Amino acid sequence: MKVSEIIDQLGLKVIAGEKGLDREISGAYVSDLLSDVMGNAREGQIWITLQVHQNVMAIASLKDLAAVILVKDLEANANTIQHSNEEQIPILSSSLSTFDIAGKLHALLADK
Amino acid sequence: MELDFSIEGGDFTQAGQASSRVKKVLKQLGVDAKCIKSIVIALYEAEVNVVAHAYKGQIHIQIDKDKIQTLITDEGPGIPDIAMAMTEGFSTASKKVREMGFGAGMGLPNIKKNTDELKIDSVVGQSTTVSMVNYF
């Protein structure tokens, strides 16, 4: 499943990194601890987090993640958005809590 | 091949510059993907440690046919008890750093897990030197 395919189904907004919407999703990882993501997330995963600073994109890029979903309508910092566009790794935004969006994404990926 | 980077303490915008560059270089050299992933994790954590704890630091990287050697030297508070610092969950990071999602006491354990050789030397009140080797 591609990143573009989950946007409508999960009611996400594309904040940045539109050029990366064709990225293939291998799964997802949920964490707000950056070293946890650095150590344990895997290539192609969607990262669900409440962190909005630009180090999120540094990690997403280093780990070759498919996209980042920010929860609860949190707004990405300007330099986070810039980094997302440069790296072509999308930042998506959800109005839902981490638990709710993770549950929906899990169901969607398990269903495919 | 040799690569050098400078890091300013406290400047989180710089964290990841060295690891990003090294990742690209190793890819171009055709190094095994799994090996690159480990090196990138270790190097990123080392960069973050300098930014989070030190005043400034230098990274010197030497890439040979069979291995990559990384030497990170900083000017900073040093580490009084290295064994304690290696413990999962132990951190001396500031509140601000923790709020960013760093400082969970996972950095040095991540480095240990992702390097073949790791040596840490520190003089309290002066500097810390981290030497890492990964074999391809």
Side-chain angles (χ1 to χ4, degrees):
Chain A
M1 191 176 281
K2 288 184 192 305
V3 175
S4 57
E5 294 172 62
I6 67 166
I7 292 167
D8 284 344
Q9 300 193 60
L10 298 179
L12 303 170
K13 277 184 285 189
V14 181
I15 306 301
E18 284 88 351
K19 286 182 181 165
L21 292 176
D22 267 352
R23 285 175 181 268
E24 199 66 35
I25 302 169
S26 68
Y29 199 78
V30 178
S31 184
D32 302 319
L33 295 178
L34 276 65
S35 287
D36 178 32
V37 178
M38 201 59 215
N40 300 304
R42 290 193 301 276
E43 191 172 338
Q45 289 184 328
I46 300 258
W47 175 15
I48 302 172
T49 184
L50 53 67
Q51 298 288 355
V52 297
H53 54 83
Q54 75 160 23
N55 297 86
V56 167
M57 292 318 301
I59 288 175
S61 163
L62 287 169
K63 299 294 288 185
D64 296 311
L65 301 182
V68 175
I69 297 178
L70 302 181
V71 299
K72 298 189 289 186
D73 280 331
L74 289 166
E75 288 184 22
N77 293 353
N79 51 14
T80 313
I81 288 172
Q82 189 190 334
H83 207 152
S84 161
N85 288 328
E86 283 166 10
E87 298 292 338
Q88 304 187 2
I89 298 174
I91 298 174
L92 312 170
S93 164
S94 171
S95 58
L96 301 178
S97 72
T98 302
F99 178 78
D100 288 333
I101 193 66
K104 288 191 174 198
L105 179 58
H106 190 280
L108 194 57
L109 294 176
D111 196 37
K112 72 171 177 179
Chain B
M1 178 191 251
E2 299 188 20
L3 297 167
D4 286 281
F5 303 90
S6 297
I7 309 176
E8 283 299 312
D11 185 0
F12 275 93
T13 63
Q14 288 186 5
Q17 283 184 359
S19 32
S20 174
R21 174 90 182 101
V22 167
K23 182 184 168 191
K24 287 192 182 95
V25 169
L26 294 179
K27 263 191 178 173
Q28 280 168 2
L29 291 172
V31 172
D32 172 61
K34 195 161 169 266
C35 196
I36 297 177
K37 285 186 170 77
S38 295
I39 294 161
V40 164
I41 292 170
L43 184 53
Y44 181 77
E45 294 290 4
E47 285 185 80
V48 167
N49 279 349
V50 174
V51 173
H53 297 285
Y55 315 129
K56 62 178 174 178
Q58 294 288 328
I59 300 178
H60 178 72
I61 292 167
Q62 188 171 333
I63 303 170
D64 298 319
K65 260 190 175 166
D66 62 331
K67 64 177 184 294
I68 174 167
Q69 288 178 282
T70 307
L71 188 68
I72 302 117
T73 313
D74 73 31
E75 288 173 36
I79 306 172
D81 186 339
I82 293 173
M84 180 78 97
M86 294 301 297
T87 310
E88 192 115 20
F90 178 84
S91 177
T92 59
S94 68
K95 189 165 177 282
K96 178 191 164 233
V97 169
R98 286 170 199 257
E99 279 170 359
M100 290 176 77
F102 293 112
M106 300 177 77
L108 284 175
N110 262 357
I111 293 177
K112 178 81 184 161
K113 273 180 230 163
N114 288 285
T115 48
D116 295 315
E117 292 171 21
L118 172 65
K119 192 164 174 286
I120 303 173
D121 292 302
S122 190
V123 181
V124 173
Q126 289 185 21
S127 68
T128 299
T129 305
V130 177
S131 169
M132 321 190 287
V133 182
N134 284 64
Y135 294 95
F136 300 149

